[in-house]
């Protein structure tokens, strides 16, 4: 399965590279690709420069797309070209994952309307205002509704990635990968230590 | 303070971008730079392509260097040019951090001789064989000896980064940053759930 990471300026570092570490280990099952509207180097306020391919040059529809969060979402929420592309890819893919405020971009496309979702607990009112028909959960570490996986803030994306692996390959498999990276996986998606007010 | 990440082919994704997320948030105090011997795009088996600058073009000595691990260390352990550069930079910097098998590269330079250090618990015998005069700790999540901070495997690098922040700025500050990224920081450096046999 190909996982397409949808990159934009001022993405949140760990939103991308936490899941990238986890899926990236399984090279026989998941292939990681990084895309942006214009291609080339995409960076952020952490000064982490990642090389991306141009979205329009994508040859095959990826089975999975992942939309990260970050302060850049505040700008991209008004980028109709990016939102259109996300919507198009999301509709065609088997699974759609978002981390942190990435769910604001998904919500803005309307694809989450009537669905359960979550987001960063510290940006919850802004995110939820981007999709008033979404059933937002303030308590979840991550949320699943059909093919949509949305996670809470930053490091919750890693817990969700393990949850995704557990749903596809069984919990023992997910635990094994977590042990390999010496990560204390938070397995309970419904209860987060970090709750929105 | 400038943090120079010493990159090489087939680095471990999260070894780099876990600490990058944490230090990167503190843009007023830490500036992240990514270097490699030849500069340009460095990638890994996870297919995460990061743009780097050439080590020889470095103008100022960084206050902090970070050496990640990954399967690439198996090759770089014989790269005398890289080891020489790491040794030179480590001697001149205020702090030296390594994640996972990055401590094998540090150990090979001799700089850890007589010092306490740790590493990935699943690669412990290989790593420790690279520095037989190092006082290796099989139990620590991360280890501090003078200016050297060495962490256990992959995600332990994040716990160490928070520990580093706690040592410099106080534990409340470190906890605040951990909350910001909704991360359950493992605060106890001496006890890891993952122990080498």
């Amino acid at each position: 399965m190909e996982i397409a990471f949808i990159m934009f300026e001022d993405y949140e570092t760990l939103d991308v590279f936490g899941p990238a570490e986890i899926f990236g280990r399984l090279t026989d099952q998941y292939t990681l690709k990084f895309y942006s509207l214009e291609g080339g180097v995409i960076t952020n306020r952490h000064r982490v420069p990642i090389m991306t391919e141009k979205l329009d040059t994508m040859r095959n529809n990826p089975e999975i797309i992942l939309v990260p969060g970050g302060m850049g979402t505040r700008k991209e929420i008004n980028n109709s070209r990016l939102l259109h592309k996300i919507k198009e890819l999301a509709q065609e893919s088997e699974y759609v994952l978002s981390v942190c405020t990435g769910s604001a971009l998904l919500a803005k496309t309307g694809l989450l309307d009537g669905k359960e979702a979550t987001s960063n607990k510290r940006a919850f009112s802004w995110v939820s205002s981007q999709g008033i028909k979404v059933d937002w959960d303030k308590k979840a570490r991550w949320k699943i509704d059909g093919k949509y996986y949305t996670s809470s803030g930053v490091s919750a994306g890693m817990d969700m990635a393990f949850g995704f692996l557990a749903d596809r390959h069984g919990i023992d498999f997910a635990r094994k990968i977590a042990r390999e990276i010496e990560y204390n996986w938070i397995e309970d998606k419904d209860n987060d230590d970090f709750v929105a007010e």
Side-chain angles (χ1 to χ4, degrees), chain A residues 122-134:
Chain A
R122 294 162 47 87
F124 215 85
S125 61
W126 177 75
V127 172
S128 55
S129 73
Q130 303 306 322
I132 54 169
K133 296 179 187 165
V134 181

Side-chain angles (χ1 to χ4, degrees), chain A residues 4-22:
Chain A
F5 289 74
I6 312 300
M7 306 294 294
F8 44 81
E9 291 293 323
D10 215 358
Y11 67 94
E12 187 77 22
T13 304
L14 195 66
D15 290 13
V16 172
F17 300 111
E21 166 72 40
I22 296 162

Side-chain angles (χ1 to χ4, degrees), chain A residues 15 74 99-103 117-128 136-143 150-157 159 186 188-197:
Chain A
D15 290 13
R74 303 302 202 279
V99 181
C100 196
T101 49
S103 54
T118 193
S119 190
N120 187 315
K121 305 304 167 53
R122 294 162 47 87
F124 215 85
S125 61
W126 177 75
V127 172
S128 55
W136 294 104
D137 186 329
K138 292 181 174 179
K139 200 169 177 300
R141 186 78 176 156
W142 73 93
K143 205 79 194 171
T150 55
S151 94
S152 182
V154 196
S155 61
D159 299 308
I186 298 166
D188 184 357
K189 67 178 170 36
D190 297 317
N191 283 294
D192 197 350
D193 285 350
F194 310 92
V195 174
E197 280 148 26

Side-chain angles (χ1 to χ4, degrees), chain A residues 77-179:
Chain A
I77 201 81
N78 298 311
N79 185 342
S80 56
R81 228 180 107 215
L82 182 67
L83 293 178
H84 178 76
K85 198 74 199 174
I86 288 174
K87 184 169 185 173
E88 191 178 85
L89 289 170
Q91 285 173 319
E92 287 168 5
S93 65
E94 286 180 44
Y95 297 102
V96 179
L97 281 52
S98 72
V99 181
C100 196
T101 49
S103 54
L105 300 180
L106 278 185
K108 190 74 182 284
T109 67
L111 287 171
L112 295 180
D113 285 356
K115 290 193 165 54
E116 292 183 307
T118 193
S119 190
N120 187 315
K121 305 304 167 53
R122 294 162 47 87
F124 215 85
S125 61
W126 177 75
V127 172
S128 55
S129 73
Q130 303 306 322
I132 54 169
K133 296 179 187 165
V134 181
D135 184 5
W136 294 104
D137 186 329
K138 292 181 174 179
K139 200 169 177 300
R141 186 78 176 156
W142 73 93
K143 205 79 194 171
I144 309 167
D145 194 326
K147 72 182 194 180
Y148 292 93
Y149 280 67
T150 55
S151 94
S152 182
V154 196
S155 61
M158 296 182 65
D159 299 308
M160 178 183 76
F162 284 119
F164 184 88
L165 290 187
D167 294 344
R168 303 284 92 65
H169 311 279
I171 196 161
D172 289 339
F173 181 82
R175 285 174 179 161
K176 174 178 162 287
I177 305 297
R179 269 196 309 275

